[in-house]
Amino acid sequence: MVQATPFLLVLFLALGAHGHTVKKCILAGHWKNDIGSNMTISEVKENGDFTGIYNTSVSATTKIVPSPLLGSQHLPYLQNQPTFGFTIHWNFSDSISVFTGQCFVDNDGKEVLKTMWLMRSRVGKLEDDWKATRIGYNEFVRQETHE
Ligand code: BTN
């Protein structure tokens, strides 16, 4: 029993650490990015699909309204620090944005979503196609809810 105790302790810690990682990087919840945009992702389904609402802090237009997002993620109990993607159908402009990224757990146990995005804005004629797509990076951190 004396010899078994350290083994059980190590096993417990290993399982505990694994469980910790598994709980992280399920994307459901509230997130804020480096330019102050917020998104709320609803429950992630068993196959990784999710829906949510995106509230951007900036816009190429004047008006901003919370807009729906539709996405999918690989699930962290299958692969740690999973990849994901989502599309935002802006309710107040003719644009569509697509984000793709990966959820990381940093050395402090904090989840960070590293993403790249493309935003396609509608242009009126073929000759303007060259200027219709923007590209960029955003980093999101989880907003803890204090209820
Ligand atoms: C538009 O301007 O037509 C829609 C709003 C676009 C907001 C973009 S999407 C990529 C970048 N990251 C954000 O959080 N907001 C901007």
Side-chain angles (χ1 to χ4, degrees):
M1 181 61 198
V2 175
Q3 277 171 345
T5 307
F7 171 75
L8 288 173
L9 184 63
V10 169
L11 185 67
F12 175 78
L13 289 174
L15 289 174
H18 179 65
H20 194 60
T21 315
V22 165
K23 265 196 214 140
K24 302 232 162 152
C25 287
I26 292 278
L27 297 188
H30 304 287
W31 301 88
K32 190 180 200 115
N33 74 14
D34 51 302
I35 58 168
S37 297
N38 291 286
M39 69 171 170
T40 300
I41 294 177
S42 313
E43 189 188 354
V44 176
K45 294 206 291 197
E46 253 176 56
N47 65 357
D49 290 356
F50 58 81
T51 57
I53 298 288
Y54 200 101
N55 204 357
T56 181
S57 61
V58 294
S59 168
T61 66
T62 48
K63 191 171 138 196
I64 291 178
V65 173
S67 298
L69 69 83
L70 185 59
S72 196
Q73 73 159 118
H74 283 285
L75 294 166
Y77 61 82
L78 296 174
Q79 284 162 323
N80 281 337
Q81 306 195 116
T83 56
F84 62 86
F86 58 86
T87 301
I88 308 168
H89 176 133
W90 300 107
N91 270 340
F92 55 89
S93 77
D94 294 330
S95 306
I96 296 276
S97 298
V98 290
F99 283 71
T100 186
Q102 185 168 353
C103 177
F104 292 98
V105 180
D106 73 12
N107 291 336
D108 299 326
K110 196 179 79 171
E111 296 155 293
V112 184
L113 309 183
K114 299 290 274 187
T115 71
M116 281 192 75
W117 52 264
L118 289 173
M119 181 170 106
R120 176 73 190 203
S121 300
R122 197 187 69 83
V123 287
K125 54 183 194 297
L126 183 58
E127 290 75 18
D128 289 337
D129 177 63
W130 65 271
K131 63 176 178 185
T133 307
R134 293 172 168 88
I135 185 170
Y137 295 93
N138 280 131
E139 184 174 310
F140 294 80
V141 291
R142 193 182 282 280
Q143 297 296 104
E144 300 300 341
T145 45
H146 303 285
E147 288 165 33

